[in-house]
Amino acid sequence: MLRPQEYFSVNTESTSMLINLLSKNQIKRLFFSSTAAVYGAPGLPGFIKECEEKHPISAYGISKLAAEQHVNEFLSKPGNSGTSLRFFNVVGTAAVELSDNSRENLVPILIDKFKKNESPIIFGTDYPTPDGTCIRDYIDVRDVARAHIAAINHPTNLPQALNVGTGSGISV
């Protein structure tokens, strides 16, 4: 990552400042957009449960997990509600200003390689899949928006964190 401190500034510090403003203004609900990167690189195939160990391996994942800790403190106060939504591999924006072209995002990397008429480099060829590559759960950005609306409109309290994906993986 080129500037890891920016992740902590934007994700962790800004979330803390936002929570302070919510508390100051007696706002009791918070729905936080987090990431599956808080889990790191899971070793076992299958679904990842919210209660699984968190071992982020990037500054992005570490900063989001730290932000979630601030969110959890807010959610644990009497009368407060909300959740952290942990998204898996978001894809699908057509708006250039909303696209994630970071060096770590697989889809933009692949698109860039194809535009240059180059073959992408796929890491990992020994996974127990038909082509040997790992499985990723890609979720459309429109489903991310629907998940936010569903969480906001949910009639009862939600757990402190919810994984959001399709539940169906595709090999890289």
Side-chain angles (χ1 to χ4, degrees):
M1 299 205 161
L2 295 176
R3 296 181 297 270
Q5 186 52 38
E6 286 185 25
Y7 288 105
F8 291 95
S9 176
V10 171
N11 293 327
T12 310
E13 295 167 19
S14 295
T15 299
S16 179
M17 290 171 33
L18 174 66
I19 289 171
N20 287 335
L21 286 171
L22 294 176
S23 297
K24 180 180 175 182
N25 290 288
Q26 299 178 355
I27 296 171
K28 303 286 188 181
R29 298 183 81 205
L30 174 59
F31 296 88
F32 180 67
S33 295
S34 193
T35 176
V38 300
Y39 297 109
L44 299 173
F47 293 110
I48 298 172
K49 296 181 175 112
E50 291 85 353
C51 61
E52 294 204 23
E53 290 288 320
K54 313 315 176 275
H55 298 287
I57 57 175
S58 67
Y60 176 70
I62 294 166
S63 69
K64 282 292 200 174
L65 183 58
E68 277 192 29
Q69 291 168 345
H70 292 295
V71 171
N72 291 345
E73 288 173 22
F74 173 85
L75 295 177
S76 67
K77 292 180 181 171
N80 289 355
S81 64
T83 191
S84 292
L85 300 169
R86 295 179 182 147
F87 298 108
F88 288 76
N89 304 291
V90 179
V91 296
T93 183
V96 175
E97 61 275 9
L98 296 177
S99 52
D100 177 1
N101 293 314
S102 64
R103 303 170 129 229
E104 293 80 22
N105 192 320
L106 178 63
V107 174
I109 291 169
L110 293 175
I111 291 170
D112 184 56
K113 289 286 188 183
F114 292 141
K115 282 181 179 177
K116 293 177 181 176
N117 220 10
E118 297 175 2
S119 295
I121 299 169
I122 306 296
F123 297 99
T125 58
D126 58 351
Y127 289 88
T129 60
D131 63 2
T133 65
C134 70
I135 301 292
R136 296 275 179 99
D137 185 348
Y138 299 98
I139 182 168
D140 190 279
V141 69
R142 292 166 290 195
D143 292 322
V144 166
R146 288 183 193 101
H148 278 97
I149 293 168
I152 290 166
N153 291 328
H154 197 272
T156 61
N157 284 341
L158 295 168
Q160 286 188 337
L162 289 169
N163 290 342
V164 181
T166 65
S168 177
I170 299 171
S171 70
V172 172

